Structure formats: structure tokens, C-alpha cells
Amino acid sequence: MTEKQTATEKIIADVMANPSPAKSMGDPGITPLSPTHTQQNETEQVQPEPSFVVVVAIDFGTTSSGYAYAFTKEPECIHTMRRWEGGDPGVSNQKTPTTILLTPDRKFHSFGYAARDFYHDLDPSESKQWLYLEKFKMKLHTTANLSIDTDLHAANGKRVKALDIFAYALAFFKEQALKELSDQTGGDFDNNDVRWVITVPAIWKMPAKQFMREAAYKSGLVSRENPEQLIIALEPEAASIYCRKLRLHQMVDLGTQTTQNGFSPTENVGSGMTQAKENVRRNRQSRTFLVENVIGELWSELEEGDRYVVVDCGGGTVDLTVHQIRLPEGHLKELYKASGGPYGSIGIDYEFEKLLCKIFGQDFIDQFKIKRPAAWVDLMIAFESRKRAAAPDRTNPLNINLPFSFIDYYKKFRGHSVEHALRKSNVDFVKWSSQGMLRMSPDAMNSLFKPTIDHIIQHLTELFDKPEVSDIKFLFLVGGFAESPLLQQAVQDMLQGRSRIIIPHDVGLTILKGAVLFGLDPSVIKVRRSPLTYGVGVLNRFVEGKHPPEKLLVKDGTRWCTDVFDTFIAADQSVALGEMVKRSYTPAKPSQQVIVIHIYCSERESVGFISESGIRKCGTLRLDVSGTESTAPRREIQTLMQFGDTEIRAMAVDVSTGRTVKASIDFLSH
């Protein structure tokens, strides 16, 4: 026996003793049908859209949420929801805070202003039993291995299932919207006539997007049997769709020196927004926005191939997408995959909390939040309205009311007064005013904004350095945080006239209205970038010298290389809407009764084997071929994956019998 043979036998013995991952994962094994196995980009026709009477979009935000709708017969009329009871002074209440309250036995009690006000009025001893949650959406972005069982913490420290909370919130919006639609149409409005759209940040990873869909199923918004009734829309894409419709009187152009709406942008960055807010306030009574069925004047300046950036500045995340215009219909093509990060306006709240910890001590703040949760909420509401008054040219201080129970509890906790703490703290730009307020200098307030704004500017700078992002005609600033004059000024300083900065008047509702338009015509975005690389695990004939010896598997005398990653689509590849990628495989063993195809994904662009690090299994196609004889010499199994939508679909077909199986790609199981 030659030395070489013994080495091979040793490898085979090792493989038998330590089966490869493919074998141990129970893959019966499929192999590409032909050695020249290539991708066929057969773009199949997408099925005709189901018909709905109305589209309702839910903007589920980190800090505030709302819904808007349009009847398919009058697509140019977008109705925003009824005004909420209990709005805050100094804060527009077109949306309601994303806050939720559960009773002590964990039943849904209320949402939004109602939840906040009820919680606030509870006796402190009683409020400890109730579960109050706010700003919880960020958990979906920050949890590394998000699953159906991920927990959230209520204000009193108790844990609740995140899925329950999201489902309660969606059920609340469903009830509100259906009630309003019933009142409008004068009869019970049927949920089956509604197409629902939920917006999510484009930078969210697949598990978070799927989590939203799972919550929608749990809430009864839509059923698993009819998944097409719900569209997951990407926030900056929705904004982009709305911005196409903007007329000149509906926006502020920070980049031009011309007068619009009777003010000159050079006067002051913030004054344009003040004027714009006034217009919005006047229109607010009607709640119906007419979106003219034209392309806005700004858009008509764009030519084939022109690029623009949408920067969606929300409460939790800042999301950037680069789009290119395609004429004649003005369809949109995503040029660069969505980027951004957790740089939303709640970063400023965290900085304020850090400042309070510096003055009063971390131990006290932690204790106060648990013992007086309602008073803590009060303090943050007071901060919120002052935060909105921050501006680059402000000279007078900002006063923040400290709740009485804060002052009182601090004295009990430390044995001295709040005033004493401020004197001792060496934080010289925060003073105590005799009316019981924290008095912050404008510089102090601006310094709370700085870390968050610096992150955004750094990200924009890096984005503008990318070759595919050169020569940007417009930068649309949208989302609630875009109203901040400090942020507007920083973006202007960074761009230095390289592109025009456009801010829609109703900047906080841009995404909501765009999501309604997207629900009416989801095909408006024609090309997207794939955020991940997708493929399946296959067996290939083992090639000596090319394949690693530890991947050798011998089956019925045939030598296979296991765990080969067969790529369907690579990360950052352009994909057209509804694009199908088709592949043909054959069972490695002709007698197989069940064919199992595992789908894998990775953030890396090139992947060799499914056993590499950072590869995760995200779906399984299980095709039963028992009891059916195939006349063909080799059984052909076709695998199809559909891309280009905000979610991915997969199916497998047994060509000889026509038997099909569909798989939903699952990113939540570990």
C-alpha cells in the first residue's frame, strides 16, 4: 500500500470519526446538476398585486408613532390620524409618544399620551406595580442575537417579552385606524380591505425586520396565511418617495440664497423651519394632505442618472440611502446599501442623563428612576421641550423644571439640597434658579447635542468620500430630528455647498406619507442593494489539491467535498425588484426520500464554505419526494430565490412531479 493511499484512508477514517458539519447538520446532500452550474438571472414576472380598498401606514418610531392612510380610489389624498388627546406644550402632537402601559397583571392598558398621563397620575406606591415602557424600539437594533424570546425592561425594572409589547402596540394602531375608517365610511370597516405598511430603518438587520412581521402576525394585523397584506417599508425609501412629490412651497431649501415663503435662508437657519412649522400648524386642522399626481418642481430638475441622498434623522437611528433617478417614470434605484447607526435624537437624552449623574451621582439617579418612575418621565418631558428650543444663535439660558419629588427625594437620599449639589459639582454651565429650575446655558445645551451630531457628520463625511456617492445633487433631511437647527447648521457646514439641502415642511410626517405612497405602488423602487450574501450548502465532487482534506466525505464510493457555499447573490449586489435567481440541483443519493436544502447568509461578499465564521442558517426548504418515481435519469430539484424586495422569498420545485415547497427565511431562530 502506498504512503499516499494510507494518508487518504486516514483522512477517510477521520471523516467517519468526525463527520463534517454538513453530515452532522443532517444535510442529506444535494449537488449542482451540471459542473458548469451557473446563475440564471431569469427575472420572473411578479404576480399581480392583490386589491385593497385602503392603505394604512404605521410609522412605529423610537420616540413617537402614528399612522396615515389613503383610499386606493383617491391616492392623492393622504389622511393623517386624528389628533391625540393630551399633547405636550411646545411639542407638535401629530404623532403620539411611543409609550405603552401594562396593568400589574401584564394586560395592555394604554398607549401614547394616554399611557403616560395615566401612569403619571398613579400613586407612587401603586405605580411600582404597573409596567411602563418607552423608547423600546431601539432594542431591536442593539440586540446582537435577537430572537422571539428577547426581553425588554419596564420602568420598574420588570422584564417583559419584546414580542408582546410590539404586538400590543400594533394591535392598538389597528384598532384606532379601523375605528377611524369605520367612522369615515359609516359602517364596520373590514380589516381584509386594508393593506398595512410598517416602516423600519433601512439599516436594521434582517432579524429585526422579521421581528416586526412576527409582531404583526401576533397582533392580528395580518395573518400568516396572507403575508402579502403587510409590506415592510424602509424609512428612508419612504421619505424618498414622498420627496419626489414635493412642490416648492412644501420645503425649505437651505442651500439657496433666494427668498422662499417670504424669508431669506441667510437670516437664520432655524427661521425657515419656524415659518414652515407655522404653515404646518395652519394646515393641521384639515389632516388631509393633497399629494399632487405630478413630479415636484425640484424633481423635474433631476436628469437621468442624477444622484441624491436621503438622511432620515429619527429618535433612535440615523439612516442614509443614496438613490439614483431613472427616467421616464422617475423610478428609483438604490446606489449604495443603506448605512447609518444609532445616532438618533435620544442620544441627547442620554447625554442629559449623564449630566444629571455627574451633578447628583449615578447611585441617586438609578435609585430615583426605580423609586419614582413617573417623576423621572416628567423630568424627561420637561427636557424634551427645552431640547427643541436649542439653536446655534441662542443667547438666553434654557430652564428645565425639576419635579418636586426629585428635590424632595434628593434631600432624603443625600441629606442636603439640590442647590448644594449643583454648587459642589463643578458643572459651571448649569445653575440653580430660585424658581426650582435647572438653568442651562445655550453652550451647555449645545454640548449635549455634540456627540450625536458629530457621529452623524462623521458618517456623512465618510459616505460622501465613497466613489458611488460623488456628485450628489440634493440632500434631503427628514425625520423628527431634522427639525433641529443645530443639526441643520452642522450639515450645512460640512457640505459647504457641495449639494443642496432640502427639508420638507412637515419633516416629521415625511416617512409616514411616503409609506402610504409606497403601499399604493410598491414597484416604485426598482433596484435595491442586497444587504447580505445568500446561498445554499451543497456537495461538490472532491478535487485533490483544490479542496481542504478535512472536507472530504466518501459516500457509496463517491468522494465529495462537503459544506460548499453555493452563492445565489452577493452582499451589495444590485437586484431588480422581484428578481428571481434559479438553480438546479440533484440529490447526491438517488434513493433519497426527503431533500433538505438549507439556506445560509453572511455579511461577507465572498464565502467558500458554510462552516466559515459569520455564516448563519436562515431558512430550510424540505421537499418530500417519497412515493414518486422520476423517469429522468437524474432527478432535478429547482431552487428559486426572489430578491429586490424588502424581504426575501424562497421555494423549491421537484421538476418531474411539479411538487413545490416554500420557505420563509427565518432570522430569529438560533
Side-chain angles (χ1 to χ4, degrees), residues 62 138 141-142 201-205 311-320 338-346 452 455-456 459-460 481:
T62 302
M138 276 305 281
H141 182 69
T142 53
I203 52 167
W204 267 15
K205 295 207 163 35
V311 183
D312 167 22
C313 309
T317 49
V318 168
D319 224 5
L320 301 96
S339 63
Y343 322 132
S345 59
I346 58 172
T452 303
H455 272 304
I456 297 171
H459 200 91
L460 269 173
F481 190 20

Side-chain angles (χ1 to χ4, degrees), residues 22-145:
K23 201 162 159 56
S24 60
M25 287 194 305
D27 287 17
I30 50 165
T31 177
L33 199 59
S34 60
T36 56
H37 169 62
T38 53
Q39 166 169 333
Q40 301 161 278
N41 261 351
E42 293 183 27
T43 308
E44 308 269 312
Q45 281 306 302
V46 188
Q47 289 82 26
E49 282 294 312
S51 59
F52 297 102
V53 177
V54 68
V55 169
V56 181
I58 299 173
D59 178 2
F60 196 130
T62 302
T63 46
S64 61
S65 297
Y67 65 87
Y69 59 94
F71 291 96
T72 47
K73 284 201 169 65
E74 307 177 281
E76 62 291 334
C77 280
I78 297 180
H79 309 269
T80 54
M81 68 240 142
R82 298 170 174 161
R83 290 189 60 169
W84 302 95
E85 298 303 311
D88 290 334
V91 178
S92 109
N93 64 338
Q94 278 184 295
K95 291 192 200 159
T96 194
T98 309
T99 52
I100 195 165
L101 182 63
L102 308 188
T103 62
D105 59 355
R106 297 172 177 256
K107 296 275 184 294
F108 174 79
H109 180 273
S110 46
F111 188 91
Y113 288 117
R116 224 173 57 182
D117 296 346
F118 186 90
Y119 180 61
H120 179 260
D121 294 342
L122 287 168
D123 185 77
S125 60
E126 221 187 328
S127 66
K128 287 190 198 105
Q129 309 308 314
W130 289 66
L131 290 96
Y132 178 82
L133 293 100
E134 59 179 356
K135 297 174 185 157
F136 49 85
K137 179 182 167 190
M138 276 305 281
K139 183 84 177 184
L140 298 196
H141 182 69
T142 53
T143 305
N145 42 5

Side-chain angles (χ1 to χ4, degrees), residues 327-559:
L327 298 175
E329 300 88 357
H331 285 139
L332 314 180
K333 170 182 179 177
E334 188 183 10
L335 269 195
Y336 183 74
K337 69 171 183 242
S339 63
Y343 322 132
S345 59
I346 58 172
I348 303 154
D349 303 351
Y350 293 141
E351 289 300 316
F352 178 60
E353 194 177 317
K354 272 178 15 199
L355 178 68
L356 292 176
C357 289
K358 197 170 166 187
I359 299 170
F360 303 108
Q362 173 97 42
D363 55 344
F364 167 71
I365 296 293
D366 289 348
Q367 199 58 19
F368 180 71
K369 280 161 86 172
I370 298 266
K371 290 282 191 265
R372 299 279 185 276
W376 174 256
V377 171
D378 254 10
L379 174 55
M380 292 314 283
I381 292 168
F383 174 68
E384 180 67 34
S385 68
R386 303 324 295 140
K387 176 170 101 178
R388 286 166 187 258
D393 53 352
R394 191 183 173 100
T395 51
N396 49 336
L398 296 123
N399 293 324
I400 296 157
N401 256 321
L402 275 186
F404 171 73
S405 69
F406 185 98
I407 299 166
D408 184 50
Y409 193 74
Y410 184 76
K411 187 138 176 86
K412 284 184 189 144
F413 189 88
R414 283 270 191 264
H416 58 241
S417 70
V418 162
E419 197 177 347
H420 175 81
L422 270 160
R423 273 205 308 272
K424 219 179 72 200
S425 70
N426 305 330
V427 179
D428 52 355
F429 43 65
V430 181
K431 299 278 182 272
W432 178 246
S433 94
S434 53
Q435 292 91 27
M437 293 181 177
L438 283 183
R439 177 163 286 177
M440 290 183 80
S441 71
D443 286 350
M445 180 59 95
N446 296 0
S447 71
L448 299 182
F449 277 76
K450 192 176 178 335
T452 303
I453 289 180
D454 285 352
H455 272 304
I456 297 171
I457 297 302
Q458 184 191 345
H459 200 91
L460 269 173
T461 308
E462 286 167 12
L463 185 74
F464 270 75
D465 285 345
K466 300 239 183 310
E468 54 272 76
V469 189
S470 58
D471 202 23
I472 296 289
K473 213 160 194 178
F474 299 118
L475 182 142
F476 290 99
L477 213 46
V478 303
F481 190 20
E483 284 185 18
S484 160
L486 291 169
L487 178 61
Q488 294 171 13
Q489 181 76 61
V491 173
Q492 255 187 307
D493 294 348
M494 179 231 122
L495 282 176
Q496 294 180 326
R498 277 186 292 174
S499 75
R500 279 163 66 189
I501 303 168
I502 308 292
I503 306 172
H505 278 181
D506 45 349
V507 66
L509 295 176
T510 305
I511 289 158
L512 200 44
K513 294 177 193 170
V516 174
L517 294 170
F518 182 58
L520 292 164
D521 176 18
S523 66
V524 59
I525 304 227
K526 290 292 186 207
V527 180
R528 286 191 175 84
R529 293 269 168 175
S530 175
L532 299 170
T533 296
Y534 290 94
V536 299
V538 298
L539 294 172
N540 274 352
R541 290 296 174 106
F542 190 86
V543 180
E544 206 72 63
K546 175 188 170 195
H547 291 139
E550 68 274 11
K551 296 287 181 198
L552 173 67
L553 176 77
V554 180
K555 254 189 181 177
D556 306 336
T558 308
R559 303 176 61 192

Side-chain angles (χ1 to χ4, degrees), residues 15 54 81 196 293 304 431 561:
V15 168
V54 68
M81 68 240 142
W196 294 96
N293 206 3
E304 172 81 50
K431 299 278 182 272
C561 176

Side-chain angles (χ1 to χ4, degrees), residues 5 10 73 91 123 150 216 286 292 342 438 463 497 542 599 611:
Q5 271 174 312
K10 184 178 179 306
K73 284 201 169 65
V91 178
D123 185 77
T150 296
S286 70
E292 295 169 52
L438 283 183
L463 185 74
F542 190 86
I599 300 164
S611 50

